[in-house]
Amino acid sequence: MSFALSVRAAALPAAVLATLALPAAPAHAAAVSVTATVETVPVSHSGDAADDPAIWVHPTDPAKSVVVATDKKGALEVYDMTGARIQRITGDYGNNVDLRGDIVVSADDEAAGGNGAMHIYRIDPATRQLKRLKDVPTEVTAHGICLYTSPASGKLYAFPNSTSGRVEQWELAVNGDAVTATSVRLWDAGSAVEGCYADETTGKLYLGEEDVGVWVYGAEPTAGASRTKLDSTGSGGHITADTEGITAAGNRIYVSSQGSNDFTVYDRTTRAHLGRFSVSNGTAADDCEDTDGIDATAANLGPAFPQGVFICQDGSNGAPGTSGNQNFKFVPLQRITAQFG
C-alpha cells in the first residue's frame, strides 16, 4: 500500500476503513530491494530444514570457493558457486555452521536429533570435500555457532550458544587431524540466542538474542560478560523478531530481521544503523523470506561474484503462493553496497 493511500485512509471514518479491509503493513518496510543471481539446489529434507551458510574462499582459485550450509534435519551441504551440491554429509544435525581458514565447525542441534556437540571438520582445497575430525561436547548444548581467530594471539575460538541463553567460548587447536578443545569462558546472555558473528577487525562478538536484539561483547576470552546493544526488537529498534543471522563484509554489518523478511545494515566502525533491504523475486532466483542464517564476504569469488557475495537462507523457496524444500540464495555483494555506500 502506498504512503499516500495510507494518509488518505487514516482520515476516513472507522466504518469506511472496515469496508476497505486494508492489509496491515510490516512493522519495518524495506527501503530497497535486490535480487539474487544464483540459488542452491534445495536441501533434501522438507519443512524447516535449511538454516545457516558459511562461505569458504579458495586459497588459490576464487572460482572454486564453496558454501557450507546446514540441513538441520540431518546433513551438511556443500555447494559450489553455481549452487550445485558437491558434497552431502549425513549424520550432522547442524543448526548453525561457521569456518575460519580450512576449519569448519557445526553446532549439532540436540533438538533436531543431534548430540548437542560441536562437529569439527577440515576442508581439503584440492577436492573441496570436508573431513570430520572430532565431536566436542559443550556445556551449553550447541544451537548456534561462530568462530574467531584472535588477532592478538592467533588462537582459534568457537562460540557455541543455546536456546537457554547460555554462551560458551572454546579454544580450538587443530594439528593435522588432531583437535584439542578447551573451554575458556561461559556466561548467560538472557533468553534464547542463536545467530552470532565474531569480528577480527574490531575484536567484538555480535550475539543475537532472538526476541530482544543484537548484543556486542568482547571476543577475547578475558572480555567477561559486559555488553552494549547494537539494535533491538523493541520500541525504537530496527529488527523484527526473531533476530537471526549476523554477518559482516567490507565496512558493513548485516542482520536478518526474520519477522519483516528483510535485513538491517550497520556501519562496521561506528555501528550506526544505515537502513534495510530485502531480497526480492528476480529472473534467476526467487526471494528470501523468513530467513534464518546469512553470510557475506567482500572477497573475490571468481567471475560470477568478483566483488563478493551475500547469502541468505530462504524459508519458503518458491514463487509467491508456492513453497518447496528450503534453499539458499546468492546475491552479488555490489548490488547491496551500491545502496548503502
Side-chain angles (χ1 to χ4, degrees):
M1 182 174 62
S2 71
F3 177 76
L5 177 58
S6 298
V7 172
R8 290 195 298 269
L12 294 174
V16 176
L17 281 175
T19 63
L20 288 174
L22 295 170
H28 300 296
V32 297
S33 66
V34 296
T35 56
T37 57
V38 168
E39 60 180 311
T40 67
V41 298
V43 298
S44 297
H45 290 99
S46 61
D48 185 21
D51 198 290
D52 190 42
I55 304 162
W56 176 76
V57 181
H58 194 282
T60 60
D61 188 346
K64 291 183 178 178
S65 299
V66 301
V67 176
V68 182
T70 63
D71 174 350
K72 60 192 175 190
K73 293 189 175 181
L76 278 186
E77 308 267 350
V78 184
Y79 307 103
D80 66 17
M81 298 313 298
T82 72
R85 183 188 295 113
I86 62 173
Q87 186 181 15
R88 184 170 187 271
I89 304 166
T90 59
D92 190 306
Y93 294 83
N95 188 69
N96 277 192
V97 64
D98 201 10
L99 57 83
R100 288 294 185 275
D102 61 353
I103 302 303
V104 180
V105 182
S106 73
D108 195 57
D109 194 1
E110 192 173 62
N115 58 13
M118 294 186 294
H119 290 184
I120 301 172
Y121 299 83
R122 184 189 295 280
I123 187 167
D124 182 348
T127 63
R128 300 185 294 173
Q129 301 285 292
L130 271 62
K131 178 182 179 181
R132 191 152 155 181
L133 304 181
K134 187 173 183 176
D135 294 359
V136 178
T138 64
E139 176 72 22
V140 302
T141 308
H143 181 66
I145 195 83
C146 55
L147 302 188
Y148 172 72
T149 302
S150 168
S153 66
K155 294 180 178 179
L156 177 65
Y157 295 97
F159 293 92
N161 57 67
S162 67
T163 55
S164 71
R166 298 284 275 172
V167 186
E168 195 169 11
Q169 183 172 2
W170 284 77
E171 180 184 328
L172 302 178
V174 184
N175 184 8
D177 289 349
V179 178
T180 302
T182 307
S183 179
V184 295
R185 185 179 171 200
L186 179 66
W187 75 97
D188 191 341
S191 59
V193 292
E194 179 182 349
C196 65
Y197 176 77
D199 191 347
E200 283 87 359
T201 66
T202 61
K204 299 300 183 182
L205 170 70
Y206 295 85
L207 181 67
E209 191 176 1
E210 292 188 355
D211 293 332
V212 177
V214 178
W215 297 104
V216 185
Y217 295 84
E220 293 294 326
T222 56
S226 63
R227 64 186 185 180
T228 58
K229 187 173 284 186
L230 174 71
D231 205 345
S232 73
T233 62
S235 177
H238 303 95
I239 303 169
T240 304
D242 287 352
T243 303
E244 288 287 345
I246 307 170
T247 190
N251 197 35
R252 298 290 176 259
I253 299 168
Y254 303 101
V255 177
S256 171
S257 178
Q258 190 178 58
S260 51
N261 293 322
D262 60 8
F263 309 93
T264 50
V265 185
Y266 309 86
D267 185 279
R268 197 169 181 176
T269 303
T270 66
R271 301 182 202 152
H273 175 255
L274 302 178
R276 60 197 315 112
F277 68 95
S278 60
V279 176
S280 302
N281 289 301
T283 57
D286 64 288
D287 59 356
C288 274
E289 296 180 321
D290 197 31
T291 296
D292 283 310
I294 59 176
D295 200 12
T297 180
N300 172 18
L301 300 175
F305 301 100
Q307 298 178 54
V309 70
F310 174 88
I311 300 178
C312 50
Q313 179 260 5
D314 183 7
S316 60
N317 187 30
T322 67
S323 182
N325 284 12
Q326 298 173 343
N327 69 349
F328 301 86
K329 307 300 197 294
F330 298 4
V331 180
L333 188 63
Q334 67 269 24
R335 294 189 176 186
I336 300 167
T337 57
Q339 305 288 338
F340 298 99

